[in-house]
Amino acid sequence: MNIAIILNGISRKKQFFYKSILPPLQKQHAIPVFETRYAGHATELARAAASKFATILSAGGDGTLNQVLNGVLTSQNKMLPILGLIPLGSGNDFAGAIGASASAQQLLQLLNQAGKPTDVGFITCKDFNGYERQHYFINVCSAGMGPATIKQMEKAPAWMGANLRYLTSIIKTFFTHTPEPVELKTQTWNWRGVVRVLAIANGKSFGNRIYLAPEAKQDDGLFNLFAAGDVPLLKFLLYLQTLKQGSKIHDSQIQYELSNKIEITSEKLVAIEAEGELVGFLPATICMKSKLVSFLR
């Protein structure tokens, strides 16, 4: 079987990967490992590997998987490789949605099965210079507190590590972020207001198991939309505990919808992110690409 692994080179679980995951895999398969060396490198590695390997495994977190996905889908290869995941990140939200674990035994079982058709989201928005940008995602993209938290993380010192940087950044975001005005349109639903969090989900959670879409499926051709409006801050903090437990919130300021396409506009400069990467700014159109990739799950 023709398999490659793209590994996040700065993962704190890299030694665990080389000690406990890779050796059992290599007893049954000859698998080269390509380590990332800089930001965006996983996209380049995946684009190059797409024409050479029938299966590509992303070893890292949601961000690494996002880069691998975009590399494969922007390659010139007509026959897309099967994708898989070895969750080595801090959040591993998509891994939670599909039940993936950092287990060599599970991977060996999956490698003996066919990949399952899996939906992918496709964003068209404005880049940082005002030009059109297109980007794929497989778990969740968001506006509001998601991009604001990423901006805070970019300011945090690297010595803090991913977990501490995220924790301190989200705390700062809670107390500094102002709800942003947006207008949302789907085929059946229009909404205008300010949002603390707007998420367009193919997976069940983001931000380290905040379950904004606990009923999401990865092959139904639909996004699960979550829009938290101008909910008072302390109430929203309490609601986060409910979301962490995988329960829905019943509040007139919080909307749940289903759609395969959403248009988002704003009169202000509102950022949008996907799986921890700042993608660009509104206006944005987000379309579901039903069963675009084959995924080991």
Side-chain angles (χ1 to χ4, degrees):
M1 187 177 291
N2 197 11
I3 306 167
I5 294 175
I6 296 176
L7 170 67
N8 179 358
I10 61 170
S11 170
R12 293 195 170 190
K13 299 176 183 177
K14 184 166 72 170
Q15 296 307 313
F16 166 77
F17 165 80
Y18 279 115
K19 181 179 179 181
S20 301
I21 301 293
L22 187 60
L25 297 181
Q26 290 189 324
K27 284 183 179 180
Q28 297 192 28
H29 306 282
I31 305 178
V33 177
F34 302 97
E35 280 195 35
T36 64
R37 302 297 182 188
Y38 47 83
H41 194 196
T43 299
E44 298 174 13
L45 291 171
R47 189 177 291 127
S51 61
K52 301 173 184 176
F53 296 93
T55 300
I56 298 176
L57 305 179
S58 172
D62 293 313
T64 304
L65 177 59
N66 182 273
Q67 290 186 40
V68 169
L69 176 76
N70 277 274
V72 166
L73 292 177
T74 56
S75 70
Q76 300 301 313
N77 199 44
K78 293 182 180 180
M79 291 293 294
L80 295 177
I82 297 170
L83 297 180
L85 175 61
I86 305 172
L88 301 177
S90 54
N92 299 317
D93 284 290
F94 190 69
I98 64 173
S101 62
S103 161
Q105 182 179 4
Q106 184 191 57
L107 281 166
L108 287 170
Q109 291 174 349
L110 289 171
L111 287 168
N112 288 325
Q113 302 172 14
K116 296 181 179 179
T118 302
D119 299 337
V120 171
F122 183 63
I123 305 167
T124 302
C125 64
K126 298 296 183 182
D127 70 9
F128 302 96
N129 296 311
Y131 297 105
E132 182 179 288
R133 184 185 181 190
Q134 297 177 331
H135 192 84
Y136 295 94
F137 68 98
I138 199 166
N139 189 53
V140 176
C141 74
S142 76
M145 292 184 70
T149 301
I150 293 169
K151 291 177 183 178
Q152 290 286 354
M153 287 186 70
E154 291 177 346
K155 301 175 186 176
W159 62 261
M160 296 175 69
N163 289 333
L164 185 56
R165 286 169 63 213
Y166 176 73
L167 179 61
T168 56
S169 296
I170 199 169
I171 290 172
K172 288 181 180 179
T173 300
F174 270 118
F175 293 103
T176 59
H177 177 259
T178 301
E180 297 168 286
V182 297
E183 183 173 358
L184 314 176
K185 292 183 180 180
T186 72
Q187 296 94 325
T188 60
W189 177 66
N190 288 0
W191 186 86
R192 179 194 293 268
V194 297
V195 291
R196 287 195 181 277
V197 176
L198 168 64
I200 298 92
N202 185 43
K204 297 177 183 294
S205 68
F206 86 149
N208 196 5
R209 308 304 169 91
I210 299 174
Y211 289 91
L212 303 178
E215 299 171 352
K217 298 177 181 179
Q218 288 72 56
D219 56 5
D220 63 354
L222 293 171
F223 293 120
N224 288 57
L225 311 181
F226 174 93
D230 196 10
V231 182
L233 181 59
L234 291 179
K235 181 184 282 190
F236 190 68
L237 285 169
L238 293 174
Y239 282 161
L240 278 180
Q241 302 310 309
T242 303
L243 294 173
K244 278 280 190 178
Q245 295 167 7
S247 299
K248 282 191 170 184
I249 298 168
H250 302 285
D251 186 310
S252 61
Q253 290 285 345
I254 294 179
Q255 308 289 326
Y256 293 90
E257 296 289 336
L258 295 173
S259 182
N260 61 8
K261 180 180 179 180
I262 181 169
E263 297 177 3
I264 315 170
T265 57
S266 178
E267 67 268 19
K268 291 194 174 182
L269 190 66
V270 175
I272 187 167
E273 64 85 27
E275 281 124 20
E277 178 184 343
L278 289 172
V279 176
F281 299 93
L282 304 184
T285 300
I286 302 166
C287 299
M288 178 63 82
K289 301 292 186 180
S290 180
K291 301 178 180 178
L292 182 61
V293 297
S294 185
F295 208 99
L296 297 174
R297 57 185 179 90

XYZ file of all heavy atoms in Angstrom, residues 15-106:
673
model
N 7.832 12.731 19.648
C 8.575 11.581 20.137
C 7.652 10.391 20.384
O 8.017 9.239 20.130
C 9.345 11.948 21.410
C 10.430 12.998 21.196
C 11.391 12.624 20.078
O 11.876 11.484 20.007
N 11.669 13.576 19.184
N 6.463 10.673 20.877
C 5.467 9.607 21.054
C 5.130 8.983 19.706
O 5.006 7.753 19.593
C 4.202 10.184 21.702
C 3.008 9.278 21.630
C 2.894 8.180 22.476
C 1.992 9.513 20.713
C 1.791 7.335 22.398
C 0.885 8.671 20.633
C 0.792 7.575 21.488
N 5.010 9.809 18.679
C 4.716 9.304 17.332
C 5.804 8.352 16.861
O 5.526 7.234 16.394
C 4.563 10.472 16.362
C 4.613 10.070 14.912
C 3.507 9.529 14.287
C 5.787 10.228 14.174
C 3.555 9.141 12.957
C 5.843 9.848 12.851
C 4.722 9.297 12.232
N 7.071 8.784 16.985
C 8.170 7.960 16.485
C 8.379 6.698 17.325
O 8.833 5.667 16.818
C 9.465 8.779 16.438
C 9.562 9.662 15.221
C 9.578 11.046 15.338
C 9.644 9.116 13.940
C 9.671 11.863 14.217
C 9.740 9.917 12.816
C 9.750 11.288 12.963
O 9.836 12.088 11.848
N 8.020 6.763 18.593
C 8.240 5.621 19.478
C 7.086 4.623 19.459
O 7.310 3.403 19.454
C 8.472 6.119 20.909
C 8.745 5.008 21.911
C 8.984 5.570 23.297
C 9.240 4.451 24.317
N 9.463 4.992 25.686
N 5.840 5.137 19.443
C 4.687 4.254 19.654
C 3.777 4.074 18.448
O 3.083 3.063 18.357
C 3.850 4.790 20.835
O 4.624 4.848 22.010
N 3.758 5.039 17.536
C 2.837 4.969 16.396
C 3.519 4.419 15.149
O 3.044 3.471 14.518
C 2.234 6.358 16.086
C 1.476 6.897 17.294
C 1.315 6.274 14.859
C 0.237 6.125 17.653
N 4.652 5.003 14.793
C 5.284 4.649 13.524
C 5.818 3.211 13.463
O 5.592 2.522 12.455
C 6.399 5.646 13.203
C 7.044 5.499 11.818
C 6.003 5.693 10.722
C 8.186 6.495 11.662
N 6.510 2.709 14.485
C 7.074 1.346 14.361
C 6.044 0.266 14.044
O 6.289 -0.557 13.136
C 7.750 1.125 15.729
C 8.116 2.498 16.184
C 6.981 3.376 15.723
N 4.881 0.202 14.716
C 3.895 -0.829 14.341
C 3.380 -0.666 12.914
O 3.110 -1.650 12.231
C 2.768 -0.623 15.364
C 3.397 0.070 16.517
C 4.445 0.943 15.918
N 3.256 0.593 12.460
C 2.804 0.813 11.091
C 3.831 0.314 10.091
O 3.494 -0.318 9.078
C 2.530 2.302 10.859
C 1.416 2.967 11.677
C 1.285 4.431 11.293
C 0.088 2.247 11.481
N 5.113 0.583 10.382
C 6.159 0.223 9.424
C 6.464 -1.272 9.414
O 7.152 -1.754 8.509
C 7.421 1.035 9.701
C 7.246 2.511 9.339
C 8.536 3.290 9.388
O 9.388 3.035 10.240
N 8.686 4.261 8.485
N 5.931 -2.004 10.393
C 6.061 -3.467 10.334
C 5.215 -4.045 9.211
O 5.518 -5.128 8.696
C 5.647 -4.070 11.676
C 6.688 -3.912 12.779
C 6.225 -4.600 14.052
C 7.283 -4.466 15.149
N 6.845 -5.125 16.408
N 4.163 -3.326 8.850
C 3.260 -3.823 7.803
C 3.314 -3.009 6.514
O 2.907 -3.482 5.462
C 1.823 -3.840 8.331
C 1.622 -4.793 9.503
C 0.160 -5.020 9.821
O -0.701 -4.930 8.939
N -0.131 -5.331 11.076
N 3.784 -1.759 6.601
C 3.804 -0.889 5.419
C 5.107 -0.080 5.402
O 5.595 0.333 6.453
C 2.615 0.089 5.435
C 1.279 -0.566 5.578
N 0.636 -1.186 4.527
C 0.471 -0.700 6.665
C -0.523 -1.667 4.947
N -0.647 -1.390 6.241
N 5.638 0.138 4.225
C 6.779 1.043 4.066
C 6.221 2.465 3.946
O 5.650 2.826 2.902
C 7.591 0.665 2.834
N 6.383 3.254 5.007
C 5.731 4.562 5.063
C 6.771 5.658 5.288
O 7.357 5.752 6.379
C 4.687 4.619 6.204
C 3.665 3.489 6.063
C 3.983 5.976 6.207
C 2.640 3.452 7.174
N 7.021 6.495 4.310
C 7.896 7.646 4.536
C 7.185 8.720 5.360
O 5.965 8.870 5.278
C 8.195 8.156 3.122
C 7.023 7.719 2.315
C 6.547 6.420 2.922
N 7.961 9.427 6.160
C 7.431 10.517 6.988
C 8.056 11.823 6.519
O 9.281 11.941 6.429
C 7.739 10.287 8.478
C 7.237 11.472 9.314
C 7.110 8.985 8.957
N 7.210 12.800 6.230
C 7.670 14.127 5.824
C 7.334 15.108 6.945
O 6.165 15.338 7.243
C 7.001 14.548 4.521
C 7.232 13.598 3.376
C 6.280 12.635 3.048
C 8.404 13.653 2.645
C 6.492 11.749 1.998
C 8.628 12.767 1.590
C 7.670 11.818 1.273
N 8.344 15.676 7.568
C 8.137 16.615 8.674
C 8.044 18.046 8.158
O 8.821 18.459 7.293
C 9.292 16.544 9.677
C 9.218 15.394 10.635
C 10.164 15.590 11.827
O 10.346 16.744 12.266
O 10.704 14.581 12.296
N 7.120 18.787 8.730
C 7.018 20.207 8.379
C 8.146 20.978 9.057
O 8.565 20.650 10.175
C 5.661 20.793 8.806
O 5.539 20.755 10.228
C 4.511 20.009 8.189
N 8.613 22.019 8.368
C 9.736 22.814 8.877
C 9.374 24.276 9.117
O 10.107 24.985 9.803
C 10.907 22.749 7.887
C 11.410 21.340 7.596
C 11.977 20.673 8.828
N 12.493 19.331 8.535
C 12.898 18.475 9.472
N 12.840 18.822 10.747
N 13.339 17.285 9.124
N 8.261 24.707 8.549
C 7.883 26.117 8.691
C 6.392 26.248 8.437
O 5.721 25.295 8.007
C 8.681 27.003 7.727
C 8.738 26.488 6.305
C 7.695 26.730 5.396
C 9.835 25.747 5.868
C 7.743 26.247 4.094
C 9.893 25.259 4.568
C 8.856 25.516 3.686
O 8.904 25.030 2.402
N 5.855 27.428 8.695
C 4.421 27.672 8.536
C 3.997 27.442 7.088
O 4.648 27.929 6.157
C 4.079 29.101 8.955
N 2.927 26.690 6.902
C 2.423 26.417 5.563
C 3.112 25.281 4.845
O 2.735 24.917 3.724
N 4.124 24.673 5.474
C 4.901 23.629 4.811
C 4.060 22.380 4.547
O 4.253 21.687 3.545
C 6.125 23.271 5.664
C 7.152 22.468 4.935
N 8.158 21.771 5.568
C 7.341 22.242 3.599
C 8.909 21.164 4.678
N 8.448 21.434 3.483
N 3.092 22.081 5.448
C 2.265 20.885 5.252
C 1.469 20.971 3.957
O 1.249 19.955 3.285
C 1.330 20.688 6.444
N 1.033 22.167 3.598
C 0.305 22.347 2.334
C 1.204 22.005 1.150
O 0.796 21.292 0.224
C -0.209 23.787 2.210
O -1.100 24.055 3.293
C -0.959 23.994 0.894
N 2.432 22.487 1.188
C 3.374 22.203 0.105
C 3.694 20.712 0.030
O 3.729 20.128 -1.065
C 4.664 23.000 0.328
C 4.475 24.514 0.309
C 5.748 25.249 0.677
O 6.821 24.608 0.694
O 5.676 26.452 0.979
N 3.910 20.098 1.179
C 4.237 18.676 1.203
C 3.073 17.834 0.666
O 3.273 16.886 -0.101
C 4.583 18.240 2.629
C 5.888 18.792 3.202
C 5.995 18.450 4.690
C 7.094 18.242 2.446
N 1.852 18.193 1.077
C 0.678 17.438 0.624
C 0.441 17.615 -0.865
O 0.062 16.667 -1.561
C -0.548 17.881 1.414
N 0.658 18.818 -1.363
C 0.463 19.065 -2.800
C 1.443 18.220 -3.616
O 1.080 17.658 -4.654
C 0.656 20.562 -3.085
C 0.264 20.973 -4.490
C 0.411 22.474 -4.667
N -0.567 23.219 -3.899
C -0.275 24.197 -3.037
N 0.989 24.547 -2.841
N -1.232 24.817 -2.388
N 2.683 18.128 -3.135
C 3.679 17.326 -3.847
C 3.393 15.830 -3.715
O 3.633 15.061 -4.656
C 5.075 17.639 -3.309
N 2.865 15.415 -2.557
C 2.634 13.993 -2.306
C 1.378 13.472 -2.997
O 1.236 12.258 -3.190
C 2.535 13.745 -0.805
N 0.473 14.360 -3.371
C -0.828 13.931 -3.904
C -0.709 13.086 -5.162
O -1.546 12.218 -5.412
C -1.699 15.154 -4.174
N 0.323 13.311 -5.953
C 0.487 12.555 -7.200
C 1.336 11.298 -7.018
O 1.483 10.506 -7.954
C 1.142 13.437 -8.267
O 2.436 13.852 -7.848
N 1.872 11.079 -5.801
C 2.800 9.976 -5.589
C 2.275 8.910 -4.630
O 2.789 7.794 -4.615
C 4.131 10.517 -5.048
C 4.804 11.529 -5.965
C 6.011 12.155 -5.302
C 6.637 13.239 -6.167
N 7.761 13.928 -5.475
N 1.273 9.281 -3.826
C 0.814 8.361 -2.790
C -0.702 8.199 -2.863
O -1.436 9.160 -3.084
C 1.218 8.866 -1.404
C 2.707 8.925 -1.200
C 3.408 10.095 -1.463
C 3.397 7.805 -0.779
C 4.780 10.156 -1.289
C 4.780 7.849 -0.611
C 5.475 9.021 -0.861
N -1.150 6.969 -2.647
C -2.587 6.678 -2.675
C -3.274 7.081 -1.377
O -4.477 7.329 -1.361
C -2.809 5.196 -2.934
N -2.510 7.146 -0.289
C -3.052 7.515 1.021
C -2.083 8.473 1.694
O -0.870 8.234 1.713
C -3.251 6.274 1.912
O -4.156 5.363 1.278
C -3.814 6.664 3.273
N -2.617 9.553 2.257
C -1.808 10.520 2.998
C -2.415 10.678 4.382
O -3.590 11.004 4.531
C -1.745 11.877 2.287
C -1.085 11.731 0.916
C -0.985 12.895 3.131
C -1.064 13.022 0.102
N -1.587 10.450 5.406
C -2.018 10.605 6.782
C -1.459 11.902 7.340
O -0.255 12.168 7.247
C -1.530 9.430 7.636
C -1.913 8.023 7.161
C -1.318 6.975 8.104
C -3.421 7.876 7.080
N -2.318 12.708 7.931
C -1.902 13.946 8.586
C -1.651 13.654 10.059
O -2.557 13.242 10.781
C -2.997 15.008 8.437
O -2.690 16.156 9.214
N -0.418 13.862 10.511
C -0.051 13.622 11.904
C 0.167 14.968 12.590
O 1.206 15.603 12.431
C 1.197 12.756 11.993
N -0.838 15.389 13.328
C -0.795 16.694 13.986
C -2.183 17.042 14.473
O -3.007 16.165 14.742
N -2.460 18.331 14.572
C -3.763 18.780 15.015
C -4.651 19.207 13.860
O -4.392 18.890 12.689
N -5.709 19.960 14.188
C -6.651 20.415 13.171
C -5.982 21.324 12.149
O -6.336 21.311 10.967
C -7.823 21.138 13.832
C -8.676 20.198 14.672
O -9.014 19.111 14.179
O -8.998 20.550 15.816
N -5.004 22.121 12.599
C -4.319 23.022 11.672
C -3.507 22.280 10.635
O -3.511 22.632 9.454
N -2.791 21.241 11.067
C -2.018 20.433 10.126
C -2.937 19.743 9.130
O -2.663 19.708 7.918
C -1.177 19.389 10.881
O -0.342 20.049 11.831
C -0.312 18.584 9.917
N -4.050 19.199 9.633
C -5.015 18.552 8.746
C -5.571 19.538 7.727
O -5.742 19.199 6.546
C -6.148 17.936 9.559
C -7.278 17.278 8.760
C -6.743 16.154 7.877
C -8.367 16.759 9.689
N -5.846 20.758 8.155
C -6.355 21.774 7.236
C -5.355 22.052 6.121
O -5.726 22.156 4.943
C -6.681 23.056 8.002
C -7.261 24.127 7.112
O -6.547 24.913 6.500
N -8.584 24.163 7.034
N -4.082 22.142 6.469
C -3.055 22.389 5.461
C -2.937 21.207 4.494
O -2.809 21.388 3.280
C -1.711 22.652 6.130
C -1.628 23.977 6.862
C -0.228 24.243 7.379
O 0.771 23.970 6.715
N -0.141 24.778 8.582
N -2.957 19.994 5.034
C -2.873 18.811 4.185
C -4.067 18.761 3.234
O -3.917 18.498 2.032
C -2.798 17.530 5.041
C -2.974 16.282 4.175
C -1.467 17.474 5.789
N -5.252 19.025 3.754
C -6.462 19.047 2.927
C -6.321 20.039 1.782
O -6.601 19.719 0.619
C -7.665 19.415 3.796
C -9.004 19.579 3.069
C -9.584 18.220 2.703
C -9.994 20.350 3.949
N -5.874 21.263 2.081
C -5.744 22.289 1.045
C -4.640 21.953 0.054
O -4.771 22.249 -1.136
C -5.516 23.656 1.689
C -6.810 24.313 2.124
O -7.479 24.980 1.345
N -7.183 24.098 3.377
N -3.571 21.312 0.515
C -2.526 20.901 -0.405
C -3.014 19.870 -1.397
O -2.757 19.966 -2.604
N -3.744 18.879 -0.903
C -4.263 17.820 -1.770
C -5.277 18.380 -2.767
O -5.235 18.071 -3.965
C -4.894 16.700 -0.917
C -5.739 15.769 -1.778
C -3.810 15.923 -0.186
N -6.202 19.224 -2.276
C -7.282 19.709 -3.134
C -6.843 20.801 -4.107
O -7.574 21.122 -5.042
C -8.444 20.210 -2.273
C -9.189 19.104 -1.501
C -10.285 19.704 -0.620
C -9.787 18.073 -2.457
N -5.662 21.365 -3.926
C -5.138 22.343 -4.881
C -4.015 21.747 -5.734
O -3.335 22.467 -6.460
C -4.627 23.611 -4.166
O -3.640 23.240 -3.192
C -5.761 24.345 -3.489
N -3.822 20.440 -5.612
C -2.834 19.774 -6.465
C -3.416 19.590 -7.865
O -4.613 19.749 -8.088
C -2.448 18.409 -5.880
O -3.538 17.503 -5.992
N -2.573 19.226 -8.786
C -3.015 18.996 -10.165
C -3.425 17.549 -10.402
O -3.753 17.164 -11.513
C -1.885 19.380 -11.131
C -1.455 20.839 -11.037
C -2.600 21.796 -11.327
O -3.337 21.634 -12.298
N -2.753 22.802 -10.471
N -3.390 16.749 -9.332
C -3.693 15.331 -9.461
C -5.196 15.104 -9.598
O -5.979 15.566 -8.777
C -3.164 14.580 -8.230
C -3.014 13.099 -8.479
O -2.512 12.706 -9.532
N -3.444 12.273 -7.542
N -5.617 14.390 -10.642
C -7.040 14.146 -10.867
C -7.590 13.086 -9.923
O -8.748 13.146 -9.514
C -7.271 13.746 -12.328
C -6.993 14.861 -13.319
C -7.295 14.426 -14.751
C -7.017 15.563 -15.729
N -7.309 15.158 -17.133
N -6.768 12.110 -9.572
C -7.177 11.072 -8.629
C -6.691 11.476 -7.237
O -5.497 11.431 -6.952
C -6.594 9.727 -9.032
C -7.183 9.156 -10.309
S -8.936 8.685 -10.132
C -8.781 7.334 -8.969
N -7.609 11.898 -6.389
C -7.222 12.359 -5.070
C -6.850 11.184 -4.169
O -7.512 10.143 -4.183
C -8.361 13.133 -4.415
C -8.776 14.447 -5.078
C -9.968 15.047 -4.345
C -7.614 15.430 -5.101
N -5.799 11.349 -3.366
C -5.460 10.294 -2.416
C -6.503 10.211 -1.298
O -7.222 11.172 -1.023
C -4.103 10.740 -1.860
C -4.090 12.218 -2.049
C -4.870 12.487 -3.293
N -6.564 9.062 -0.660
C -7.370 8.906 0.548
C -6.652 9.648 1.681
O -5.426 9.598 1.788
C -7.536 7.421 0.904
C -8.297 6.689 -0.201
C -8.251 7.247 2.245
C -8.293 5.184 -0.054
N -7.427 10.338 2.521
C -6.847 11.066 3.645
C -7.125 10.343 4.950
O -8.133 9.647 5.098
C -7.420 12.481 3.710
C -7.117 13.392 2.521
C -7.745 14.760 2.737
C -5.618 13.522 2.294
N -6.206 10.510 5.887
C -6.377 9.959 7.222
C -5.752 10.872 8.246
O -5.072 11.846 7.907
N -5.967 10.565 9.524
C -5.562 11.467 10.593
C -4.930 10.694 11.740
O -5.473 9.693 12.213
C -6.795 12.234 11.097
C -6.625 13.160 12.300
C -5.622 14.268 11.983
C -7.971 13.762 12.693
N -3.776 11.187 12.186
C -3.160 10.739 13.431
C -3.200 11.938 14.368
O -2.411 12.880 14.215
C -1.708 10.269 13.217
C -1.651 9.181 12.139
C -1.112 9.761 14.521
C -0.236 8.803 11.728
N -4.138 12.003 15.314
C -4.327 13.219 16.121
C -3.219 13.426 17.150
O -3.119 12.705 18.141
C -5.681 12.984 16.798
C -5.849 11.502 16.824
C -5.153 10.981 15.611
N -2.374 14.419 16.902
C -1.265 14.742 17.795
C -1.319 16.199 18.249
O -0.342 16.713 18.783
C 0.078 14.493 17.087
C 0.357 13.078 16.584
C 1.695 13.036 15.859
C 0.330 12.066 17.717
N -2.448 16.873 18.017
C -2.563 18.274 18.378
C -3.042 18.468 19.802
O -3.185 17.517 20.577
N -3.341 19.713 20.141
C -3.819 20.029 21.486
C -5.332 19.945 21.585
O -5.878 19.590 22.637
C -3.343 21.430 21.893
O -3.721 22.391 20.922
N -6.045 20.261 20.482
C -7.499 20.216 20.504
C -8.060 18.958 19.864
O -8.903 18.265 20.426
N -7.575 18.644 18.662
C -8.001 17.441 17.929
C -9.523 17.362 17.788
O -10.129 16.314 18.021
C -7.482 16.181 18.628
C -5.967 16.127 18.705
O -5.276 16.437 17.738
N -5.455 15.767 19.862
N -10.138 18.472 17.388
C -11.599 18.501 17.313
C -12.156 17.615 16.210
O -13.158 16.928 16.413
C -12.078 19.943 17.139
C -12.006 20.722 18.439
O -12.805 20.428 19.339
O -11.149 21.606 18.558
N -11.533 17.605 15.031
C -12.057 16.748 13.975
C -11.856 15.280 14.328
O -12.694 14.434 14.007
C -11.420 17.068 12.625
C -12.113 16.375 11.478
C -13.389 16.755 11.100
C -11.511 15.325 10.796
C -14.054 16.105 10.053
C -12.157 14.678 9.752
C -13.440 15.070 9.387
N -10.762 14.979 15.006
C -10.548 13.611 15.467
C -11.687 13.171 16.377
O -12.163 12.037 16.298
C -9.212 13.496 16.196
N -12.143 14.075 17.244
C -13.272 13.758 18.109
C -14.542 13.509 17.329
O -15.342 12.636 17.683
N -14.739 14.259 16.243
C -15.954 14.108 15.444
C -16.022 12.754 14.759
O -17.102 12.183 14.600
C -16.039 15.224 14.398
N -14.864 12.224 14.356
C -14.856 10.963 13.615
C -14.388 9.783 14.458
O -14.284 8.662 13.957
C -13.993 11.069 12.342
C -12.528 11.326 12.695
C -14.533 12.151 11.411
C -11.590 11.266 11.498
N -14.092 10.038 15.735
C -13.668 8.946 16.607
C -12.256 8.459 16.367
O -11.926 7.310 16.666
N -11.371 9.326 15.869
C -9.980 8.944 15.606
C -9.140 9.107 16.868
O -9.340 10.041 17.644
C -9.395 9.794 14.485
N -8.190 8.203 17.051
C -7.283 8.293 18.194
C -5.856 8.055 17.717
O -5.634 7.513 16.626
C -7.652 7.264 19.267
O -7.519 5.939 18.759
N -4.897 8.449 18.543
C -3.484 8.237 18.213
C -3.115 6.811 18.594
O -2.349 6.550 19.521
C -2.610 9.243 18.936
N -3.671 5.869 17.836
C -3.506 4.450 18.113
C -3.047 3.739 16.850
O -3.731 3.782 15.818
C -4.832 3.847 18.594
O -4.843 2.442 18.474
N -1.907 3.085 16.930
C -1.415 2.338 15.767
C -2.368 1.208 15.400
O -2.583 0.920 14.222
C -0.019 1.787 16.065
N -2.948 0.585 16.398
C -3.885 -0.513 16.135
C -5.097 -0.029 15.351
O -5.526 -0.675 14.389
C -4.338 -1.145 17.451
C -5.272 -2.339 17.272
C -5.680 -2.965 18.597
O -5.326 -2.467 19.664
N -6.432 -4.052 18.528
N -5.653 1.119 15.757
C -6.800 1.655 15.023
C -6.406 2.018 13.600
O -7.145 1.740 12.646
C -7.362 2.885 15.738
C -8.625 3.443 15.071
C -9.029 4.804 15.610
O -8.251 5.750 15.578
N -10.256 4.900 16.106
